[in-house]
Amino acid sequence: MVTRSTRPCQTPAWKRELAQAFRTVEHLIEALGMSAAQIPDIDAEAGGYPLLVPRRYAELMTPGNPMDPLLRQVLPLVAEHQTTPGFLQDPVGDGAAERGDGLLQKYAGRALWLVTEACGVHCRYCFRRHRRSAAGAMTPARIERVLGRLRADPTLHEIILSGGDPLLLDDPVLGRLIQRLGQIAHLKRLRLHTRLPIVLPSRVTEALCETLAQTPAATLIVVHANHPRELAGDVRAALGRLRQTGSTLLSQTVLLRGVNDRADTLAALAEGLFDCGVLPYYLHQLDRVSGAAHFEVSDREALTLIETLRARLPGYLVPRLVREIQGADAKQPLYPC
Ligand SMILES: *Cc1c(COP(=O)(O)O)cnc(C)c1O
Ligand code: SF4
């Protein structure tokens, strides 16, 4: 019999870790040996988008450095309250692509399912930062409706689980979902878009790996990683476990001012990912979401960075520099003009 229990011995380690994550600006910067007064551009209240940072991710930051590139990704700043022309609430047109119950289709042959709103970390530049309660919970009825739609559309060959972070679903829930998806023969590929193996690598459990190894679909895991210092020992081990499931591992990175806008950083990230069995896939130009304008890198700078990477790395380690454009039939590559 399966019983619901919150006893510590039955709660997976990753959930306990997440429960202990930093949730206030004050606690995070205190742990880094700083005070709010030392960081003049900080927003101690975190506006309408709360801070969330797993402790082990904070441990990778350099104490006393307010400009640490890992800290900058998660630290609320007063600049988030500025309105900037062209920076919108829903910059990539998710609303228009919604086919109901969190299922989005923008591109041929593949659909993306927002299976949760929750994340293991709150990235300040997130393009879904204003959408945090729209998709709703995954009730059995919603799941059946989406599965029905997927089953009825043989033009779909790939289902992408996204969110939020799909790995925030519990193993039994995710396992059942992947098993059901595996029964739809035209869905030949199952893809997960996740940041959890990077920020909370204990999430890569044995049960998750078993689920991935057992599904008849080919599995791809696209991890969101932005800086070479994120690839700590426990992350490397987690990526190794994922690799052993036979999954193809790819990465996506958001190009962020003050975080990874240097060729050295991007080159070290690409080489570090390769060492973990991950091939660089996309380098995204920032989605122009309101509150994130201070992270933007100009197209000209972005193209120069890519040229530098091309001159330094084998072609397979150079990510595709892309931007999402509402209504386009694919992510759009950036070209010099
Ligand atoms: C980004 C995205 C995809 C994936 O695009 P690929 O080019 O296949 O990686 C699929 N569906 C939606 C809705 C997306 O936003
Ligand atoms: S992990 Fe992805 S979805 Fe979650 S807050 Fe960060 S960018 Fe947004």
Side-chain angles (χ1 to χ4, degrees):
M1 192 176 80
V2 180
T3 51
R4 237 186 255 184
S5 171
T6 51
R7 271 181 293 152
C9 60
Q10 301 201 348
T11 307
W14 67 271
K15 293 193 90 169
R16 293 200 300 272
E17 267 185 68
L18 196 56
Q20 286 160 9
F22 289 112
R23 283 164 205 276
T24 68
V25 174
E26 193 191 342
H27 289 151
L28 172 64
I29 59 171
E30 229 175 62
L32 293 169
M34 292 182 280
S35 68
Q38 286 170 274
I39 313 178
D41 55 348
I42 202 172
D43 173 17
E45 302 302 319
Y49 180 40
L51 175 138
L52 178 64
V53 184
R55 280 172 193 265
R56 68 150 298 287
Y57 190 71
E59 280 163 17
L60 302 175
M61 299 170 187
T62 309
N65 179 10
M67 301 309 284
D68 181 276
L70 276 52
L71 177 62
R72 285 277 135 177
Q73 295 180 55
V74 297
L75 186 69
L77 299 181
V78 285
E80 294 177 23
H81 300 291
Q82 278 169 16
T83 49
T84 310
F87 282 75
L88 311 171
Q89 297 274 313
D90 175 16
V92 296
D94 274 358
E98 173 100 43
R99 287 173 61 172
D101 301 299
L103 186 68
L104 306 183
Q105 190 178 4
K106 294 182 182 172
Y107 309 141
R110 55 223 196 267
L112 184 145
W113 190 359
L114 304 173
V115 295
T116 173
E117 290 282 305
C119 275
V121 64
H122 286 173
C123 310
R124 305 316 295 180
Y125 51 84
C126 179
F127 71 100
R128 294 206 178 101
R129 55 176 291 165
H130 302 292
R131 267 196 50 131
R132 217 137 276 278
S133 57
M138 289 275 285
T139 62
R142 288 180 77 117
I143 294 174
E144 292 311 317
R145 280 198 298 270
V146 172
L147 289 171
R149 263 177 231 138
L150 295 173
R151 231 179 268 122
D153 186 350
T155 68
L156 291 175
H157 299 303
E158 177 166 356
I159 179 72
I160 303 167
L161 301 184
S162 184
D165 198 309
L167 289 189
L168 273 193
L169 298 185
D170 289 341
D171 278 325
V173 175
L174 191 64
R176 269 195 303 276
L177 195 62
I178 290 179
Q179 190 204 6
R180 299 282 307 276
L181 289 166
Q183 290 163 352
I184 305 177
H186 56 260
L187 294 178
K188 291 183 283 197
R189 297 183 298 274
L190 166 79
R191 191 186 329 174
L192 299 175
H193 280 182
T194 176
R195 187 144 166 70
L196 278 179
I198 305 297
V199 299
L200 197 70
S202 56
R203 174 63 189 94
V204 181
T205 57
E206 230 172 271
L208 172 66
C209 292
E210 263 168 43
T211 294
L212 292 170
Q214 281 167 10
T215 183
T219 50
L220 297 100
I221 321 252
V222 182
V223 294
H224 171 177
N226 294 331
H227 195 279
R229 280 212 344 250
E230 293 177 346
L231 306 176
D234 52 354
V235 171
R236 289 169 183 264
L239 293 170
R241 295 198 292 281
L242 284 174
R243 228 180 143 212
Q244 294 211 318
T245 67
S247 299
T248 298
L249 304 190
L250 302 171
S251 68
Q252 49 185 344
T253 297
V254 183
L255 183 57
L256 298 166
R257 174 165 307 288
V259 174
N260 57 15
D261 56 339
R262 293 187 46 221
D264 286 346
T265 308
L266 292 172
L269 176 61
E271 302 236 33
L273 286 165
F274 183 80
D275 289 344
C276 304
V278 182
L279 278 177
Y281 179 36
Y282 280 145
L283 177 63
H284 293 275
Q285 266 297 40
L286 185 77
D287 292 316
R288 303 185 109 193
V289 65
S290 57
H294 53 288
F295 281 115
E296 194 171 51
V297 175
S298 72
D299 284 359
R300 180 201 282 246
E301 285 170 271
L303 285 162
T304 304
L305 283 168
I306 285 292
E307 286 310 311
T308 311
L309 289 185
R310 259 194 214 113
R312 281 174 52 171
L313 294 172
Y316 58 85
L317 288 188
V318 181
R320 299 163 180 78
L321 176 64
V322 292
R323 153 168 296 130
E324 178 151 359
I325 293 178
Q326 187 167 353
D329 61 3
K331 307 273 190 270
Q332 296 298 293
L334 265 71
Y335 298 111
C337 49

